[in-house]
Amino acid sequence: MRNINSNKIYSKYFSKNPDEIRGKHIKDLLSENIFMQIEPYLRQVLEGRHVQFEQSTPHVDGTIHHTLATYLPNISEGKVVNFVTVVMDITEFKNLDLQRQILEAQLAESSRLSALGEMAGGVAHEVNNPLAIIRGKTGILKQRLLEGQLDKVNGLRDFGVIEATVDRIAKIVKGLRTYSRNSENDPFENSNLRDIIDDTIELCAEKLKAGTIQMTLECDPNIEVPCHPAQISQVLMNLIMNAYDAIAELHEKWIKIYVTEDQNNIAINVSDSGLGIPTEVANKIMQPFFTTKNIGKGTGLGLSISMGIVEAHGGNLKYLTSEKNTTFCLKIPKIQDQNIKVTK
Amino acid sequence: MKKLIGLSILVAEDEAELRDVIVDQLLYNGATVEGVSNGAEAWDSIQNKKFDIVLSDSRMPGVNGIELIKKIHQMNSTKPIVFLCTGFSDLTLSEVKKIGVAEVFSKPFDLNKMVNQILISINELQSKKAG
């Protein structure tokens, strides 16, 4: 296997003149190590097959280069007489791709945290109210006990209220934990869907109440789905917040979440009192950085990040044009292919 | 000891259990108390009845606490003393004082301190009138 001819760039890659390369055995051109790596591909091209493969090799200047090599056999009378090698240096492309992946992960994280920040005030209010109930009840119990005014019936009722109120705070905290957990490296876990939706709604409850938006949920309490609960919560939160912004100024204000299932998939539908999205907007909503919200309000990343999450779950996220009211449908499979790569 | 005998108080709080706790303690202290769940209901009551004191939450559905307090502030007849009970206010203390709030109770608050503060404010108002 000797070199017949090569272009300038090929010889430059080996820091040699084309004359020095011509007639040389491939083994002498490349290092022994690299030759061993490409040997199986050489065997394939000599059998008359088109071969293409990627390789990471140390360059003469010491840096690692990523290359895409293609071997095209030249067949005459059923025999491979020679073959053409095309090598593309894809190092820059590979590095850009890696940078893009890192940036995407950072954007997803900051979008998740900014949604959390938006809710922080609401959550503070949501926690302070039950705390005020507990503080009030303990004050009353203490005072009446001291003044000999506490009877068993009233005392037990007040303790019951305190217990229920502590549970309420625990539920809010659980919602925050579900949402804020960074589950990037976790395996999928079988999770109760109703719990994930309840936890998410609990986090938005105060904001929805302040906006006098009616929220309803229809979901079988026994549905289990393999997923990353924090990520599904993030998608739901995004859909709820989009619905909130869209209907805030409408006379009729409601958001409805309903869950349906078929043989293979679970569908979570988030519907609101808005009457759909204009076609020209609907065509673009899943694109990164597309937003109809005011400057500083929306990043234009919510839906595209959500779509990334849902696709990583092997599902899809769609705007349903068939519905009268604005409806988004998040579909995820009931059984997960363990090979699905999970990205944020 | 019944500290609030003779005072009529309106409590506007959308969270029923919290409203019940506040109303319960004010009643226990001898006040006449009415509880409502939003600013619109509170405004209706204020127009039909004379209250010495209004205790209002800030965030409530429909007419919120701040809007209610602004309306009270613009009344021409004798105004009740207004207290704001809040867990998270978008306004600063000086901003709420400007619209006539006597004191802000931050949730979670101590009900007995609240009762004492009500007494202090009533006494201040009476000594102002007398002076």
Side-chain angles (χ1 to χ4, degrees):
Chain A
M1 259 181 295
R2 290 177 190 280
N3 181 288
I4 300 171
N5 203 358
S6 54
N7 67 0
K8 275 184 194 160
I9 295 174
Y10 189 86
S11 44
K12 201 177 158 196
Y13 193 78
F14 293 101
S15 299
K16 290 189 166 77
N17 289 323
D19 293 344
E20 289 178 75
I21 290 175
R22 196 168 301 128
K24 276 212 166 174
H25 195 280
I26 290 180
K27 213 183 215 171
D28 300 326
L29 262 177
L30 309 165
S31 70
E32 177 78 27
N33 188 19
I34 293 172
F35 182 73
M36 292 219 335
Q37 280 178 39
I38 65 168
E39 210 183 356
Y41 302 115
L42 290 170
R43 210 173 297 135
Q44 285 175 35
V45 71
L46 292 176
E47 285 164 6
R49 279 187 273 169
H50 283 211
V51 186
Q52 191 165 58
F53 62 95
E54 276 185 35
Q55 210 181 16
S56 300
T57 49
H59 194 47
V60 280
D61 64 6
T63 57
I64 298 286
H65 275 232
H66 301 283
T67 52
L68 176 71
T70 311
Y71 297 163
L72 302 163
N74 187 6
I75 302 168
S76 177
E77 293 171 9
K79 277 186 179 173
V80 178
V81 287
N82 55 39
F83 66 91
V84 177
T85 304
V86 181
V87 182
M88 261 168 68
D89 192 319
I90 55 167
T91 309
E92 210 165 306
F93 173 76
K94 280 269 176 192
N95 289 343
L96 278 175
D97 194 48
L98 188 69
Q99 279 173 21
R100 182 183 58 82
Q101 283 177 26
I102 294 168
L103 268 177
E104 271 178 6
Q106 285 171 346
L107 277 174
E109 182 68 3
S110 70
S111 144
R112 191 168 65 95
L113 293 176
S114 86
L116 194 64
E118 214 176 287
M119 285 176 318
V123 173
H125 192 90
E126 187 81 343
V127 172
N128 277 331
N129 258 1
L131 283 178
I133 295 169
I134 295 170
R135 188 75 171 79
K137 283 286 182 197
T138 51
I140 286 172
L141 283 165
K142 204 164 76 181
Q143 188 193 18
R144 291 181 200 181
L145 201 61
L146 282 171
E147 293 173 3
Q149 297 286 330
L150 187 67
D151 62 79
K152 199 173 168 183
V153 174
N154 283 326
L156 285 173
R157 187 203 60 201
D158 285 353
F159 279 118
V161 170
I162 292 172
E163 279 170 354
T165 313
V166 168
D167 290 347
R168 195 176 127 195
I169 298 172
K171 207 172 157 198
I172 299 164
V173 173
K174 184 167 167 273
L176 272 178
R177 212 171 45 203
T178 302
Y179 184 85
S180 62
R181 182 167 164 67
N182 187 339
S183 56
E184 201 176 356
N185 300 317
D186 292 358
F188 281 120
E189 52 181 289
N190 268 324
S191 315
N192 184 290
L193 185 62
R194 176 71 186 247
D195 282 352
I196 297 174
I197 303 175
D198 274 342
D199 286 353
T200 312
I201 293 176
E202 194 66 49
L203 281 182
C204 313
E206 184 58 36
K207 194 175 159 88
L208 294 172
K209 198 170 86 179
T212 58
I213 291 171
Q214 188 75 34
M215 166 67 88
T216 51
L217 169 63
E218 286 169 21
C219 176
D220 182 329
N222 301 315
I223 298 175
E224 297 262 321
V225 274
C227 67
H228 281 161
Q231 295 188 344
I232 298 302
S233 176
Q234 181 180 351
V235 175
L236 286 173
M237 173 85 72
N238 183 254
L239 294 176
I240 294 170
M241 287 302 157
N242 281 352
Y244 177 97
D245 288 333
I247 64 173
E249 306 297 327
L250 297 184
H251 177 65
E252 193 187 335
K253 291 187 265 192
W254 53 260
I255 298 173
K256 182 179 165 187
I257 300 180
Y258 57 99
V259 176
T260 54
E261 55 182 315
D262 60 27
Q263 206 180 346
N264 302 316
N265 299 296
I266 303 279
I268 310 164
N269 300 281
V270 180
S271 181
D272 65 50
S273 53
L275 297 175
I277 301 170
T279 316
E280 65 271 22
V281 175
N283 289 338
K284 294 182 196 157
I285 44 176
M286 298 290 177
Q287 292 171 8
F289 303 109
F290 178 80
T291 182
T292 56
K293 295 179 190 177
N294 291 335
I295 293 167
K297 196 141 195 283
T299 57
L301 290 170
L303 278 176
S304 65
I305 288 169
S306 294
M307 193 155 84
I309 289 172
V310 179
E311 282 176 353
H313 279 75
N316 59 56
L317 176 64
K318 279 183 182 146
Y319 164 61
L320 301 183
T321 47
S322 55
E323 302 298 307
K324 177 176 160 259
N325 288 102
T326 314
T327 305
F328 281 84
C329 176
L330 186 175
K331 219 178 234 187
I332 42 176
K334 286 178 174 173
I335 296 166
Q336 279 295 347
D337 172 2
Q338 289 305 316
N339 294 324
I340 290 172
K341 186 176 167 257
V342 180
T343 53
K344 277 169 62 64
Chain B
M1 198 175 67
K2 297 189 186 301
K3 297 176 179 173
L4 304 175
I5 290 174
L7 291 178
S8 76
I9 305 177
L10 178 69
V11 178
E13 165 64 61
D14 60 326
E15 171 104 38
E17 272 173 349
L18 182 54
R19 187 174 64 239
D20 289 348
V21 173
I22 300 169
V23 169
D24 185 10
Q25 188 64 348
L26 296 175
L27 285 172
Y28 185 77
N29 278 279
T32 308
V33 191
E34 186 180 325
V36 291
S37 64
N38 59 56
E41 285 176 29
W43 185 239
D44 279 348
S45 294
I46 289 165
Q47 283 174 314
N48 293 323
K49 226 154 87 186
K50 189 190 160 293
F51 291 98
D52 301 300
I53 287 151
V54 172
L55 281 167
S56 176
D57 182 18
S58 55
R59 286 194 183 189
M60 288 185 292
V63 179
N64 68 36
I66 302 299
E67 286 161 349
L68 170 70
I69 290 165
K70 281 180 182 165
K71 279 185 167 187
I72 295 172
H73 194 53
Q74 283 160 7
M75 280 168 68
N76 289 324
S77 50
T78 318
K79 293 168 203 167
I81 303 176
V82 175
F83 295 95
L84 181 66
C85 311
T86 180
F88 185 86
S89 176
D90 298 325
L91 299 180
T92 62
L93 188 63
S94 62
E95 280 170 327
V96 292
K97 294 247 171 178
K98 258 184 218 160
I99 53 169
V101 172
E103 204 62 56
V104 177
F105 299 120
S106 292
K107 292 175 185 175
F109 40 73
D110 183 320
L111 287 175
N112 287 325
K113 280 188 189 159
M114 176 192 268
V115 167
N116 289 336
Q117 186 58 50
I118 290 172
L119 276 179
I120 291 169
S121 298
I122 287 283
N123 287 336
E124 274 176 6
L125 189 75
Q126 278 170 351
S127 59
K128 250 188 213 169
K129 274 184 189 167

